[in-house]
Amino acid sequence: MTGADRLTLADGSQHPTGFWAEEAVVPYRALKAAGHEIVVATPGGTPPPVDRASLAAEVNGGQERADEIARGLEEMTELGEPVKLAEADLDDFAAVFYPGGHGPMEDLAVDEDSGRLLVAALDSGRPLAVVCHGPAALLAAVRADGANAFAGRPVAAFTNEEETQGGLAPRVRWLLEDRLTEAGVDVRTAAPWAPHVVVDGNLITGQNPASSAQVAEELLKRLG
């Protein structure tokens, strides 16, 4: 998960951010209900900050749903006890999951420890699930020859159209869909804000917050 609570914009100003609550809570609850143990890892072991905007009623379909997501965050006691990404040993885990929010664009997109973990997870055949802005972390997954490990792989990720409709596109330093495409990743887009999941072998990716539940379902299928 991201450890960044600010996104640096094109003009140098800082936009409050973090991880998007729904993208963490929905898969967390599904995995815990299935009996899985969850470990949170961040750059430097920093407790991951939630994007406060992701707790608003208007982005959760109403106050009742927003309150439910907030209760879900309280259940996630692991958020207060993250391990350092540099010390996370893939052999200790059955799967890897990255939620989104704009935070990953600030830190995970350039984090070498995260990049090495992603390359190892992809090559290991373990289920690897990434949603929304989480695919920003794929940008750091570079092999020894300089090629991106996910080049040529079909993925879903937060789209330029969604970023534009969300109002941040004119202000960010780069757009996720563009940067992934430049790295050779095959970004598969669908209608804005609708659930859209792409599965390619052990790689499971979702386009936006609404895709979180389906990403979790696909991950659980592969975990058995």
Side-chain angles (χ1 to χ4, degrees):
M1 298 181 72
T2 182
D5 64 359
R6 295 288 187 276
L7 175 66
T8 305
L9 300 178
D11 63 1
S13 63
Q14 302 290 306
H15 176 74
T17 189
F19 69 87
W20 198 259
E22 180 180 5
E23 297 165 18
V25 169
V26 171
Y28 175 89
R29 282 181 158 175
L31 290 162
K32 292 290 277 191
H36 295 287
E37 178 186 355
I38 295 173
V39 174
V40 172
T42 65
T46 302
V50 64
D51 187 329
R52 306 305 299 181
S54 68
L55 300 176
E58 56 265 29
V59 300
N60 286 291
Q63 191 60 50
E64 183 176 353
R65 172 66 169 166
D67 290 343
E68 184 62 28
I69 293 296
R71 284 192 291 271
L73 282 180
E74 294 176 359
E75 297 168 10
M76 298 180 67
T77 56
E78 295 89 349
L79 294 175
E81 302 173 343
V83 302
K84 296 178 181 179
L85 264 171
E87 298 175 0
D89 186 347
L90 184 64
D91 289 339
D92 294 336
F93 303 98
V96 176
F97 172 69
Y98 278 65
H102 283 98
M105 293 178 66
E106 185 74 15
D107 58 359
L108 297 179
V110 293
D111 190 276
E112 294 181 359
D113 296 319
S114 175
R116 284 193 293 270
L117 180 68
L118 285 165
V119 173
L122 183 68
D123 292 347
S124 73
R126 287 174 176 79
L128 171 59
V130 194
V131 66
C132 200
H133 286 90
L138 307 187
L139 297 171
V142 179
R143 299 191 185 278
D145 63 0
N148 189 283
F150 293 86
R153 301 294 291 262
V155 306
F158 201 70
T159 66
N160 290 355
E161 186 174 5
E162 287 167 320
E163 201 75 85
T164 299
Q165 291 182 11
L168 207 56
R171 303 172 61 198
V172 296
R173 291 175 295 170
W174 48 273
L175 294 168
L176 179 57
E177 181 185 340
D178 287 349
R179 188 63 66 85
L180 288 171
T181 300
E182 290 168 4
V185 181
D186 180 11
V187 182
R188 305 284 179 90
T189 63
W193 314 112
H196 175 56
V197 173
V198 173
V199 179
D200 180 44
N202 63 319
L203 179 60
I204 307 160
T205 51
Q207 180 172 307
N208 46 39
S211 307
S212 300
Q214 190 177 341
V215 166
E217 290 174 9
E218 294 292 342
L219 178 55
L220 284 169
K221 286 179 186 177
R222 283 151 186 79
L223 285 169

